[in-house]
Each structure stands twice: as C-alpha cells, then as structure tokens.
C-alpha cells in the first residue's frame, strides 16, 4: 500500500551521521523527523527495566505486547512513551547501546514498531532514519538514501560524543539478523559522509530530491 504522504528514507550503519543529516533535512523541508532507532532504544530500555534478558525473545515479545506504546509529536519530532513514561534521557545508556541490537532482532518487536512507523506517514510528510526504512518500512517511496562513513570516522564520532558503543558489533548484528536486516535498498542513493559536513550532505540530498521531482 502506498503511503498517504511523502517519505524520505535515510538508512545507514551506527554513527554514520544519518541522525544529524535526517534532523537537519526535516527541519529545512518542514517535514516531520522520525528517529526509528530511538523507538528500538526505548523498547530496549523498557524491557531492561523489567529485568528481561535481552536474549530472551519470547519474554521480550510478551513484555512489549503488554506495554502501552504511545507515539506522539513534539516540535515536529517523534516521541515515544511507554506506559506513560518518557525514556528519552536513557536512550544512550551503556546498557541500551549494548542490548538494542538483540532486542530489535525480535520479530514481534519489529512488527509492533513498524506499524507505528507507518502510521506517522498517514498524516505527515516525513524524514525517517533507521536501518530498514527504504528496504522494508517504506519500500514504495521514491526517496531513499543510504548514509555511510568509514569505520574510523564513525568510531571517532561516537568517541567525541563521549559514548561507549560497540558500533562494529552492532553493525554485524544489525546486518546479519533475519528480520529486515540493514541492507542498502536497491534504489537508494549512497552517500559517504566521511569527508563532508552535515550541511553539504543535506545539500546533496536536497539536490537529488529536486531532480527526482519532489516539490519542496
Ligand atoms: O540508529 P541507532 O543507532 O540509534 O539504532 C539503534 C539500534 O536500533 C540499531 O543498532 C538497530 C536498531 N534499529 C533497527 O533495527 N531498525 C531500525 N530501522 C532502526 C534501528
């Protein structure tokens, strides 16, 4: 089914710069910004708070099914509440970084969150970033980008953010899981951001969108 509104998909591995690019792009276009990784992180935080082992797929599925997940908007950005709790301040905790690839590989978690992601496009033009947005969540959109950067640059970016994040291990897990792994969608435009500023990557994307006829 084709989405009701325009969707720009920005996928890529951890610390590739896609969040900064997607946020800036959404702001420039006046589109809603949705960080799908934050949704998986929120669920991960919730299951860890409930003492669930991130390798126990069945219990994770059960815990997520019984949670009340509310997706809302604030300043033109998506926000997720779980059982009325806002986990925003915990999304980058070490234990969330460590568990998120395992929790997000549980098919039921993906099913529930993908339905929420798609529902954003019923009412809004949006820029959504993630791992499988162009390949799985919105395969019909004509606007797909894959942002990459060299492993050295990505490690440096995370270190500069003061975070402990095993990005190589997460990339391996995200790319090899069975349920909609990280892949470059066939029709995605690939940009290596290693040597470019956010502004120039956003500029390249906007140029490309215009070439494709997106009225912006
Ligand atoms: O973008 P991020 O690093 O905040 O994402 C955190 C994790 O969430 C990532 O390691 C895998 C998962 N994820 C996913 O499986 N699918 C998405 N569309 C986005 C994120």
């Amino acid at each position: 089914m084709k989405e009701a509104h325009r969707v720009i998909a920005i996928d890529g591995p951890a610390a590739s710069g896609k969040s900064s690019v997607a946020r800036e792009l959404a702001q420039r276009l006046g589109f809603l910004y949705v960080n799908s990784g934050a949704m998986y992180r929120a669920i991960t935080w919730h299951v860890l708070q409930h003492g669930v082992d991130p390798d126990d797929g069945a219990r994770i599925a059960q815990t997520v099914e019984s949670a009340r997940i509310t997706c809302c908007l604030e300043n033109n950005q998506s926000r997720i509440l779980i059982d009325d709790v806002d986990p925003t301040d915990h999304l980058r905790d070490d234990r969330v970084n460590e568990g998120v690839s395992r929790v997000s590989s549980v098919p039921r978690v993906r099913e529930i969150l993908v339905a929420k992601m798609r529902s954003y496009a019923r009412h809004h033009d949006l820029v959504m970033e993630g791992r499988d947005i162009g390949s799985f969540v919105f395969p019909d959109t004509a606007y797909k980008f894959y942002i990459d950067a060299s492993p050295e640059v990505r490690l440096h970016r995370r270190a500069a953010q003061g975070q402990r994040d095993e990005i190589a291990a997460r990339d391996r897990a995200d790319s090899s899981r069975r349920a909609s792994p990280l892949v470059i969608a066939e029709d995605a435009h690939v940009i290596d951001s290693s040597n470019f500023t956010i502004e120039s990557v956003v500029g390249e994307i906007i140029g490309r969108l215009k070439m494709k006829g997106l009225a912006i």
Side-chain angles (χ1 to χ4, degrees):
M1 193 187 72
K2 192 125 177 69
E3 50 278 1
H5 285 261
R6 298 172 296 178
V7 173
I8 301 170
I10 311 274
D11 289 301
S16 61
K18 63 186 186 311
S19 295
S20 310
V21 166
R23 196 180 300 111
E24 173 70 20
L25 178 67
Q27 201 171 17
R28 294 252 312 254
L29 302 182
F31 283 21
L32 181 68
Y33 165 62
V34 184
N35 180 344
S36 67
M39 297 167 76
Y40 289 103
R41 287 174 178 276
I43 292 293
T44 302
W45 177 80
H46 176 79
V47 302
L48 292 172
Q49 282 297 97
H50 282 70
V52 177
D53 177 349
D55 286 319
D56 188 343
R59 269 206 70 204
I60 290 172
Q62 227 175 39
T63 308
V64 174
E65 274 169 3
S66 56
R68 193 172 56 256
I69 302 170
T70 316
C71 290
C72 47
L73 301 180
E74 196 175 274
N75 299 328
N76 232 18
Q77 302 194 7
S78 62
R79 216 176 101 195
I80 181 167
L81 303 181
I82 307 182
D83 290 340
D84 296 327
V85 178
D86 180 355
T88 302
D89 291 344
H90 304 285
L91 300 185
R92 301 269 158 195
D93 288 359
D94 290 347
R95 63 187 188 134
V96 172
N97 281 340
E98 212 253 313
V100 67
S101 285
R102 283 175 285 162
V103 172
S104 61
S105 72
V106 176
R108 187 69 185 125
V109 169
R110 304 197 72 80
E111 230 170 75
I112 290 171
L113 289 187
V114 166
K116 304 267 182 203
M117 290 171 205
R118 289 180 177 150
S119 70
Y120 276 117
R122 277 194 218 119
H123 306 286
H124 305 274
D125 289 330
L126 48 95
V127 177
M128 186 178 291
E129 60 147 304
R131 300 292 187 290
D132 61 342
I133 308 307
S135 60
F136 183 76
V137 183
F138 293 108
D140 293 336
T141 184
Y143 315 115
K144 300 181 188 178
F145 297 86
Y146 186 93
I147 313 287
D148 210 343
S150 71
E152 297 74 28
V153 167
R154 296 194 288 123
L155 269 177
H156 181 77
R157 284 179 183 160
R158 271 296 184 267
Q161 290 164 341
Q163 279 194 55
R164 214 176 69 208
D165 187 2
E166 300 293 332
I167 59 175
R170 269 205 301 133
D171 288 346
R172 258 195 315 278
D174 296 343
S175 304
S176 61
R177 67 169 178 241
R178 285 172 66 168
S180 56
L182 169 67
V183 288
I184 304 178
E186 233 173 66
D187 45 348
H189 178 66
V190 180
I191 301 175
D192 185 332
S193 75
S194 303
N195 299 311
F196 295 100
T197 60
I198 294 163
E199 289 69 30
S200 67
V201 175
V202 170
E204 181 174 343
I205 293 177
I206 289 179
R208 197 87 203 166
L209 291 170
K210 286 183 178 157
M211 253 168 53
K212 283 183 154 271
L214 183 74
I216 45 178

